[in-house]
Amino acid sequence: MIDREQLLQRRRELSYVSGRFMTEHLIRVHQLFEGDLTAAIVLATVAQHGVQRYYEEIARDSAEGFDRLVADGAHVDHLRPCNALSVSHATGIPRETVRRKVRWLQRRGWLEIGLRGRLSVVPQMADDFAEFDLETIERLHACSVAMQRVLDAPTGPTAAA
């Protein structure tokens, strides 16, 4: 658990370190999605919604591990699709905008639209994002290490200013 007082004492430096990560990440997302951050939010929302129950109820505590279960296609009945309305409610993006972004994402081959407008990510999307995801994980880890270094540094008289 992080001590909130310690965070407050180092908030400016921590804000810089985390902000640098976030800015670089948003630039990378902007490039990957051809400038359409709204489409990125829609895809991420559909993906997270679809996997959340599967991860929490099956995979997180599985001895097999999340990656192996997904690779084996185990328990896919726990994946849950969503629709444009639920994405709109979750994100605050107008439903018609969500629908336009969904069509764009479908053309890119990242989303499927099923019966009654049910949205789900396509399995091969993980391959399309593999290098991006690995780089994100590496960068997030480096950010985490830098933040821990800031938190572990001794607090001097100027650090609390």
Side-chain angles (χ1 to χ4, degrees):
M1 188 80 165
I2 297 175
D3 178 1
R4 187 160 175 83
E5 184 61 36
Q6 189 179 24
L7 291 177
L8 288 170
Q9 289 176 351
R10 299 297 178 104
R11 71 185 180 281
R12 290 178 186 92
E13 188 172 3
L14 292 167
S15 178
Y16 166 74
V17 171
S18 62
R20 185 180 64 210
F21 167 79
M22 289 301 299
T23 301
E24 291 171 357
H25 182 68
L26 286 170
I27 290 168
R28 292 174 57 242
V29 171
H30 188 265
Q31 292 167 344
L32 181 64
F33 283 82
E34 300 172 7
D36 196 341
L37 291 175
T38 303
I41 292 167
V42 169
L43 182 61
T45 301
V46 172
Q48 290 295 315
H49 177 83
V51 174
Q52 181 182 6
R53 184 174 71 171
Y54 179 78
Y55 181 75
E56 291 175 358
E57 294 179 7
I58 304 293
R60 178 180 50 206
D61 300 321
S62 167
E64 294 175 81
F66 180 75
D67 288 284
R68 168 157 275 163
L69 289 172
V70 170
D72 292 345
H75 308 286
V76 292
D77 54 325
H78 275 73
L79 296 175
R80 58 181 190 187
C82 56
N83 60 33
L85 181 61
S86 62
V87 172
S88 176
H89 283 297
T91 62
I93 299 169
R95 185 171 49 182
E96 286 308 313
T97 301
V98 170
R99 287 185 177 144
R100 280 194 312 278
K101 301 308 176 184
V102 162
R103 288 190 297 272
W104 185 82
L105 292 163
Q106 183 185 32
R107 286 192 302 273
R108 297 282 307 249
W110 293 336
L111 273 186
E112 290 179 338
I113 305 171
L115 296 174
R116 296 181 303 203
R118 296 290 190 183
L119 306 174
S120 56
V121 295
V122 298
Q124 67 268 20
M125 186 191 80
D127 295 335
D128 292 350
F129 282 83
E131 189 58 37
F132 181 87
D133 290 344
L134 287 173
E135 186 176 337
T136 299
I137 292 163
E138 290 168 345
R139 289 171 176 242
L140 180 60
H141 181 261
C143 177
S144 175
V145 168
M147 291 179 75
Q148 191 62 57
R149 191 171 30 244
V150 170
L151 290 169
D152 289 345
T155 306
T158 58

Short mmCIF file of all heavy atoms in Angstrom, two decimals, residues 58-90:
data_model
loop_
_atom_site.label_atom_id
_atom_site.label_comp_id
_atom_site.label_asym_id
_atom_site.label_seq_id
_atom_site.Cartn_x
_atom_site.Cartn_y
_atom_site.Cartn_z
N ILE A 58 -12.88 -16.95 -13.81
CA ILE A 58 -12.23 -18.16 -14.29
C ILE A 58 -10.70 -18.04 -14.28
O ILE A 58 -10.00 -18.80 -13.64
CB ILE A 58 -12.68 -18.50 -15.73
CG1 ILE A 58 -14.19 -18.64 -15.83
CG2 ILE A 58 -11.96 -19.73 -16.25
CD1 ILE A 58 -14.78 -19.81 -15.10
N ALA A 59 -10.19 -17.09 -14.99
CA ALA A 59 -8.77 -17.08 -15.35
C ALA A 59 -7.83 -16.55 -14.28
O ALA A 59 -6.73 -17.08 -14.12
CB ALA A 59 -8.57 -16.30 -16.64
N ARG A 60 -8.22 -15.52 -13.57
CA ARG A 60 -7.29 -14.86 -12.64
C ARG A 60 -6.68 -15.84 -11.64
O ARG A 60 -5.49 -15.81 -11.38
CB ARG A 60 -7.99 -13.72 -11.90
CG ARG A 60 -7.08 -13.04 -10.89
CD ARG A 60 -7.75 -11.91 -10.15
NE ARG A 60 -9.04 -12.32 -9.62
CZ ARG A 60 -10.05 -11.49 -9.39
NH1 ARG A 60 -9.93 -10.21 -9.64
NH2 ARG A 60 -11.19 -11.93 -8.90
N ASP A 61 -7.48 -16.71 -11.08
CA ASP A 61 -7.00 -17.62 -10.05
C ASP A 61 -6.79 -19.04 -10.56
O ASP A 61 -6.57 -19.96 -9.78
CB ASP A 61 -7.99 -17.63 -8.88
CG ASP A 61 -8.12 -16.25 -8.25
OD1 ASP A 61 -7.09 -15.54 -8.14
OD2 ASP A 61 -9.25 -15.87 -7.89
N SER A 62 -6.83 -19.23 -11.87
CA SER A 62 -6.66 -20.56 -12.46
C SER A 62 -5.21 -21.00 -12.39
O SER A 62 -4.29 -20.21 -12.64
CB SER A 62 -7.12 -20.53 -13.91
OG SER A 62 -6.70 -21.70 -14.57
N ALA A 63 -5.01 -22.27 -12.08
CA ALA A 63 -3.66 -22.83 -12.08
C ALA A 63 -3.07 -22.83 -13.48
O ALA A 63 -1.86 -22.76 -13.67
CB ALA A 63 -3.68 -24.25 -11.51
N GLU A 64 -3.95 -22.91 -14.50
CA GLU A 64 -3.48 -22.91 -15.88
C GLU A 64 -2.99 -21.54 -16.33
O GLU A 64 -2.13 -21.45 -17.20
CB GLU A 64 -4.59 -23.36 -16.82
CG GLU A 64 -5.01 -24.80 -16.62
CD GLU A 64 -6.19 -25.14 -17.48
OE1 GLU A 64 -5.98 -25.42 -18.67
OE2 GLU A 64 -7.32 -25.12 -16.96
N GLY A 65 -3.54 -20.50 -15.75
CA GLY A 65 -3.16 -19.14 -16.13
C GLY A 65 -4.00 -18.60 -17.27
O GLY A 65 -4.49 -19.33 -18.12
N PHE A 66 -4.16 -17.32 -17.25
CA PHE A 66 -5.00 -16.61 -18.22
C PHE A 66 -4.58 -16.88 -19.66
O PHE A 66 -5.40 -17.23 -20.52
CB PHE A 66 -4.96 -15.11 -17.91
CG PHE A 66 -5.80 -14.27 -18.83
CD1 PHE A 66 -7.17 -14.26 -18.71
CD2 PHE A 66 -5.21 -13.47 -19.79
CE1 PHE A 66 -7.95 -13.47 -19.55
CE2 PHE A 66 -5.97 -12.68 -20.63
CZ PHE A 66 -7.35 -12.69 -20.51
N ASP A 67 -3.29 -16.73 -19.95
CA ASP A 67 -2.81 -16.87 -21.33
C ASP A 67 -3.09 -18.26 -21.89
O ASP A 67 -3.53 -18.39 -23.04
CB ASP A 67 -1.33 -16.53 -21.42
CG ASP A 67 -1.09 -15.05 -21.27
OD1 ASP A 67 -1.36 -14.32 -22.24
OD2 ASP A 67 -0.67 -14.61 -20.17
N ARG A 68 -2.84 -19.28 -21.10
CA ARG A 68 -3.09 -20.64 -21.59
C ARG A 68 -4.58 -20.89 -21.80
O ARG A 68 -4.98 -21.48 -22.79
CB ARG A 68 -2.53 -21.67 -20.63
CG ARG A 68 -3.04 -23.09 -20.99
CD ARG A 68 -2.22 -24.18 -20.51
NE ARG A 68 -1.18 -24.35 -21.51
CZ ARG A 68 -0.08 -25.01 -21.30
NH1 ARG A 68 0.16 -25.54 -20.15
NH2 ARG A 68 0.81 -25.16 -22.24
N LEU A 69 -5.41 -20.44 -20.88
CA LEU A 69 -6.86 -20.62 -21.03
C LEU A 69 -7.37 -19.93 -22.30
O LEU A 69 -8.17 -20.50 -23.03
CB LEU A 69 -7.60 -20.06 -19.81
CG LEU A 69 -7.46 -20.86 -18.52
CD1 LEU A 69 -8.08 -20.10 -17.36
CD2 LEU A 69 -8.10 -22.24 -18.67
N VAL A 70 -6.90 -18.73 -22.53
CA VAL A 70 -7.34 -18.01 -23.73
C VAL A 70 -6.84 -18.73 -24.98
O VAL A 70 -7.60 -18.92 -25.94
CB VAL A 70 -6.85 -16.54 -23.71
CG1 VAL A 70 -7.10 -15.86 -25.04
CG2 VAL A 70 -7.54 -15.77 -22.59
N ALA A 71 -5.59 -19.15 -24.97
CA ALA A 71 -5.04 -19.85 -26.13
C ALA A 71 -5.79 -21.15 -26.42
O ALA A 71 -6.01 -21.51 -27.57
CB ALA A 71 -3.55 -20.14 -25.92
N ASP A 72 -6.22 -21.83 -25.36
CA ASP A 72 -6.95 -23.09 -25.51
C ASP A 72 -8.43 -22.87 -25.82
O ASP A 72 -9.14 -23.82 -26.13
CB ASP A 72 -6.83 -23.95 -24.24
CG ASP A 72 -5.41 -24.45 -24.02
OD1 ASP A 72 -4.59 -24.38 -24.96
OD2 ASP A 72 -5.12 -24.89 -22.89
N GLY A 73 -8.91 -21.63 -25.69
CA GLY A 73 -10.33 -21.35 -25.93
C GLY A 73 -11.24 -21.87 -24.84
O GLY A 73 -12.44 -22.06 -25.04
N ALA A 74 -10.69 -22.07 -23.65
CA ALA A 74 -11.46 -22.64 -22.55
C ALA A 74 -12.45 -21.62 -21.98
O ALA A 74 -12.14 -20.44 -21.88
CB ALA A 74 -10.51 -23.09 -21.44
N HIS A 75 -13.62 -22.10 -21.63
CA HIS A 75 -14.64 -21.31 -20.93
C HIS A 75 -15.08 -20.07 -21.71
O HIS A 75 -15.42 -19.06 -21.12
CB HIS A 75 -14.14 -20.87 -19.54
CG HIS A 75 -13.63 -21.99 -18.71
ND1 HIS A 75 -14.46 -22.90 -18.11
CD2 HIS A 75 -12.37 -22.36 -18.38
CE1 HIS A 75 -13.74 -23.78 -17.44
NE2 HIS A 75 -12.48 -23.47 -17.59
N VAL A 76 -15.10 -20.15 -23.04
CA VAL A 76 -15.49 -18.97 -23.82
C VAL A 76 -16.92 -18.54 -23.56
O VAL A 76 -17.29 -17.40 -23.85
CB VAL A 76 -15.27 -19.19 -25.34
CG1 VAL A 76 -13.80 -19.30 -25.66
CG2 VAL A 76 -16.05 -20.40 -25.83
N ASP A 77 -17.72 -19.42 -22.95
CA ASP A 77 -19.08 -19.04 -22.61
C ASP A 77 -19.12 -17.96 -21.53
O ASP A 77 -20.14 -17.33 -21.31
CB ASP A 77 -19.90 -20.25 -22.17
CG ASP A 77 -19.25 -21.03 -21.04
OD1 ASP A 77 -18.00 -21.12 -21.00
OD2 ASP A 77 -19.99 -21.56 -20.19
N HIS A 78 -18.00 -17.71 -20.87
CA HIS A 78 -17.94 -16.64 -19.87
C HIS A 78 -17.60 -15.28 -20.48
O HIS A 78 -17.64 -14.27 -19.79
CB HIS A 78 -16.92 -16.98 -18.77
CG HIS A 78 -17.49 -17.84 -17.70
ND1 HIS A 78 -17.77 -19.17 -17.89
CD2 HIS A 78 -17.85 -17.55 -16.44
CE1 HIS A 78 -18.27 -19.67 -16.78
NE2 HIS A 78 -18.34 -18.71 -15.89
N LEU A 79 -17.20 -15.28 -21.77
CA LEU A 79 -16.99 -13.99 -22.43
C LEU A 79 -18.36 -13.38 -22.64
O LEU A 79 -19.33 -14.06 -22.95
CB LEU A 79 -16.29 -14.19 -23.77
CG LEU A 79 -14.88 -14.76 -23.70
CD1 LEU A 79 -14.35 -15.02 -25.10
CD2 LEU A 79 -13.96 -13.82 -22.95
N ARG A 80 -18.46 -12.07 -22.46
CA ARG A 80 -19.78 -11.47 -22.63
C ARG A 80 -19.71 -10.28 -23.57
O ARG A 80 -18.95 -9.33 -23.35
CB ARG A 80 -20.37 -11.07 -21.29
CG ARG A 80 -19.54 -10.13 -20.50
CD ARG A 80 -20.20 -9.81 -19.19
NE ARG A 80 -19.44 -8.71 -18.61
CZ ARG A 80 -19.62 -8.24 -17.43
NH1 ARG A 80 -20.53 -8.73 -16.66
NH2 ARG A 80 -18.89 -7.24 -17.00
N PRO A 81 -20.49 -10.36 -24.62
CA PRO A 81 -20.52 -9.23 -25.55
C PRO A 81 -21.31 -8.07 -24.95
O PRO A 81 -22.00 -8.22 -23.94
CB PRO A 81 -21.25 -9.81 -26.76
CG PRO A 81 -22.05 -10.94 -26.23
CD PRO A 81 -21.33 -11.46 -25.02
N CYS A 82 -21.18 -6.92 -25.57
CA CYS A 82 -21.94 -5.75 -25.15
C CYS A 82 -22.56 -5.15 -26.40
O CYS A 82 -22.48 -5.73 -27.49
CB CYS A 82 -21.06 -4.76 -24.41
SG CYS A 82 -19.61 -4.21 -25.32
N ASN A 83 -23.18 -4.00 -26.29
CA ASN A 83 -23.75 -3.35 -27.45
C ASN A 83 -23.39 -1.86 -27.44
O ASN A 83 -22.78 -1.37 -26.48
CB ASN A 83 -25.27 -3.57 -27.52
CG ASN A 83 -25.98 -3.03 -26.30
OD1 ASN A 83 -25.58 -2.03 -25.72
ND2 ASN A 83 -27.06 -3.69 -25.91
N ALA A 84 -23.77 -1.17 -28.50
CA ALA A 84 -23.42 0.25 -28.62
C ALA A 84 -23.97 1.07 -27.47
O ALA A 84 -23.31 2.00 -26.99
CB ALA A 84 -23.90 0.79 -29.97
N LEU A 85 -25.17 0.74 -27.02
CA LEU A 85 -25.77 1.50 -25.93
C LEU A 85 -24.96 1.35 -24.63
O LEU A 85 -24.69 2.33 -23.95
CB LEU A 85 -27.22 1.06 -25.70
CG LEU A 85 -27.97 1.80 -24.60
CD1 LEU A 85 -28.06 3.30 -24.91
CD2 LEU A 85 -29.36 1.21 -24.43
N SER A 86 -24.55 0.13 -24.32
CA SER A 86 -23.77 -0.07 -23.09
C SER A 86 -22.40 0.60 -23.19
O SER A 86 -21.89 1.14 -22.21
CB SER A 86 -23.64 -1.55 -22.73
OG SER A 86 -22.96 -2.26 -23.73
N VAL A 87 -21.80 0.60 -24.38
CA VAL A 87 -20.52 1.30 -24.57
C VAL A 87 -20.73 2.79 -24.39
O VAL A 87 -19.93 3.48 -23.74
CB VAL A 87 -19.91 0.98 -25.95
CG1 VAL A 87 -18.69 1.86 -26.22
CG2 VAL A 87 -19.52 -0.49 -26.04
N SER A 88 -21.82 3.30 -24.94
CA SER A 88 -22.15 4.72 -24.79
C SER A 88 -22.32 5.09 -23.33
O SER A 88 -21.78 6.11 -22.86
CB SER A 88 -23.42 5.04 -25.58
OG SER A 88 -23.80 6.37 -25.38
N HIS A 89 -23.06 4.28 -22.59
CA HIS A 89 -23.25 4.55 -21.16
C HIS A 89 -21.94 4.49 -20.39
O HIS A 89 -21.69 5.32 -19.51
CB HIS A 89 -24.25 3.56 -20.55
CG HIS A 89 -25.67 3.86 -20.88
ND1 HIS A 89 -26.32 5.00 -20.49
CD2 HIS A 89 -26.57 3.13 -21.58
CE1 HIS A 89 -27.56 4.98 -20.93
NE2 HIS A 89 -27.75 3.86 -21.61
N ALA A 90 -21.10 3.52 -20.71
CA ALA A 90 -19.84 3.35 -19.97
C ALA A 90 -18.84 4.46 -20.26
O ALA A 90 -18.04 4.81 -19.38
CB ALA A 90 -19.21 2.00 -20.33
#
